[in-house]
Amino acid sequence: MTENRAVAYKGTGVVEVVDTPYPTFELKDGPGVNPANVGRKVPHGAILRTVATNICGSDQHMVRGRTTAPEGLILGHEITGEVVEVGPGVEFIKVGDIVSVPFNIACGRCRNCKEGKTGICLNVNPDRPGSAYGYVDMGGWVGGQAEFVLVPYADWNLLKFPDRDQALDKILDLTMLSDIFPTGFHGAYTAGVGPGSTVYIAGAGPVGLAAAVGAQLLGAAAVIVGDLNEDRLAQARSFGCETVDISTGDPKDQIEQILGFPEVDAAVDAVGFEARGHGADSAHEAPATVLNSLFDVTAAGGALGIPGLYVTGDPGGVDEAAQQGSLSLRLGLGWAKSLSFTTGQCPVMKYNRQLMMAILHDKVQIAKAVKATPISLEDAPRGYAEFDQGAAQKYVLNPNGYITTS
């Protein structure tokens, strides 16, 4: 039997690289696996040898102990791989294909999938619509920070790259198609960004930087990124963004200094539920701060894209309401300004092929924008620790040596 190694959550602040079973075309019991999914057959699936798999800020929420994730959960939902086995129900995907895996698991058969709402598939998670690899309360599909991983509904879910050599040459860009590039782009797109727009993006982590790249691709005239971390703000400036340091005060004042007026056409929340306050309050967690700030700085009739993660259970929340995902929002302000906003998982398949073409034809350099940094699978604990400390890098795990580094 082929062996497998993977990154596991072992308790608050701790990840380890462990031996784990090689995938099969049947779901087995294990940490986080929904009991209703145990024994589920996957003849429509494919087994991948992982080419690249990334550490995501959403993973960090679990590792910090801010979710109900069980110890032993195999992490990782940003996956690019080479197909090494296919189930008997797979018709079009072939062994040897290099593919991107959307982090949303979708069946392609339910009403939501047929309407393009692949982030809220009805058939893959017995508890609620929507699923993902290696994530708490998402059905228990095993994560992809591993040497090998199972992908269900392969013909539907997998995006095949047209040329193997070209794909491997651009792998640090293409690996961002599994999540953060479509997610950031989705944030900008649902905020209504278009030619000539002014945009404010809260958060200069990888998703925020991807949203900034997406806004530029959509034709924004000015992209402003706010954060507390100077290294991450410098990364945003490296590809033409304006920046505001929210530790110095209200972003509205700094936006006015940049644009000449204190509002933008569109705004993106790339922070989520672990947001901090602004100015003197920036040392303290204040989970509603970002959304209320965006209500304030977005012009009447504008829109907010909210790819930042919000959860229904947060053991480390600042109060009882936050622990249940309840936030005190200035909805009256949003209503008075006729603001619209879009939340939830990005439906990756809505965007990933077009963004792939933009990468392959050199229209964007997403890996450079997010400072993609390849490390070995065994080095994952260091990557998690440094990312948690605010490193302005996107760590890309290289479990099987496909990524060459100079």
Side-chain angles (χ1 to χ4, degrees):
M1 174 65 71
T2 303
E3 297 179 348
N4 195 14
R5 297 274 285 166
V7 180
Y9 168 63
K10 302 296 282 188
T12 302
V14 181
V15 296
E16 293 179 6
V17 182
V18 301
D19 294 316
T20 191
Y22 182 83
T24 66
F25 295 106
E26 178 181 328
L27 291 189
K28 302 294 198 301
D29 198 7
V33 178
N34 190 300
N37 265 348
V38 175
R40 185 171 181 167
K41 307 294 185 183
V42 192
H44 41 70
I47 295 172
L48 309 186
R49 180 186 294 114
T50 305
V51 173
T53 178
N54 316 325
I55 296 174
C56 179
S58 297
D59 299 320
Q60 288 286 18
H61 293 307
M62 291 188 290
V63 173
R64 291 186 190 120
R66 298 299 297 271
T67 71
T68 56
E71 293 185 14
L73 182 74
I74 302 301
L75 299 167
H77 56 271
E78 300 189 9
I79 309 162
T80 308
E82 179 176 8
V83 178
V84 293
E85 291 186 54
V86 295
V90 177
E91 184 175 2
F92 303 111
I93 291 293
K94 306 299 183 186
V95 170
D97 288 345
I98 305 291
V99 295
S100 178
V101 184
F103 80 89
N104 327 103
I105 301 172
C107 72
R109 296 155 165 79
C110 70
R111 172 181 174 174
N112 284 351
C113 283
K114 289 178 179 180
E115 293 177 355
K117 302 171 185 175
T118 55
I120 43 175
C121 173
L122 300 173
N123 289 330
V124 287
N125 183 355
D127 281 342
R128 67 182 64 147
S131 188
Y133 304 88
Y135 212 84
V136 59
D137 295 333
M138 287 293 184
W141 299 86
V142 177
Q145 288 175 11
E147 293 172 329
F148 297 91
V149 64
L150 170 70
V151 174
Y153 303 102
D155 282 329
W156 170 253
N157 282 306
L158 295 178
L159 174 67
K160 177 184 174 181
F161 299 135
D163 181 86
R164 177 189 180 91
D165 291 340
Q166 184 187 34
L168 293 177
D169 183 58
K170 293 182 177 290
I171 195 62
L172 288 180
D173 291 289
L174 293 171
T175 190
M176 304 306 163
L177 292 172
S178 58
D179 182 356
I180 68 161
F181 195 12
T183 293
F185 186 88
H186 177 66
Y189 181 83
T190 56
V193 176
S197 295
T198 58
V199 188
Y200 174 60
I201 297 167
V207 169
L209 296 175
V213 172
Q216 291 174 338
L217 190 60
L218 288 164
V223 179
I224 305 168
V225 179
D227 205 289
L228 296 158
N229 184 318
E230 175 51 35
D231 290 340
R232 291 182 171 182
L233 291 175
Q235 189 62 28
R237 290 192 294 271
S238 74
F239 59 95
C241 299
E242 301 282 354
T243 60
V244 300
D245 181 349
I246 63 169
S247 69
T248 65
D250 192 328
K252 190 170 187 176
D253 298 331
Q254 297 175 68
I255 289 170
E256 184 171 19
Q257 291 174 11
I258 294 168
L259 297 177
F261 43 88
E263 292 183 324
V264 292
D265 301 316
V268 178
D269 173 3
V271 178
F273 72 102
E274 289 191 64
R276 295 187 183 184
H278 294 161
D281 293 329
S282 61
H284 304 103
E285 193 167 303
T289 299
V290 168
L291 287 171
N292 284 329
S293 173
L294 297 189
F295 285 169
D296 193 28
V297 303
T298 305
L304 283 62
I306 309 176
L309 176 67
Y310 289 87
V311 296
T312 56
D314 173 14
V318 294
D319 54 34
E320 185 176 348
Q323 290 167 12
Q324 300 176 36
S326 296
L327 306 181
S328 181
L329 299 179
R330 297 183 66 191
L331 190 58
L333 175 62
W335 189 92
K337 296 176 75 173
S338 295
L339 301 178
S340 59
F341 57 91
T342 301
T343 65
Q345 288 187 30
C346 164
V348 170
M349 293 174 67
K350 181 175 181 177
Y351 308 106
N352 62 351
R353 184 186 179 278
Q354 299 95 314
L355 295 177
M356 175 188 75
M357 296 302 288
I359 289 169
L360 294 179
H361 291 275
D362 298 317
K363 299 302 181 185
V364 290
Q365 289 77 43
I366 184 65
K368 183 178 180 181
V370 301
K371 202 173 182 180
T373 305
I375 59 175
S376 70
L377 185 72
E378 299 295 330
D379 216 13
R382 175 182 68 85
Y384 268 93
E386 292 183 358
F387 188 43
D388 190 51
Q389 292 164 8
Q393 299 179 80
K394 175 69 171 177
Y395 286 104
V396 177
L397 303 182
N398 183 22
N400 292 297
Y402 284 86
I403 303 171
T404 57
T405 56
S406 54

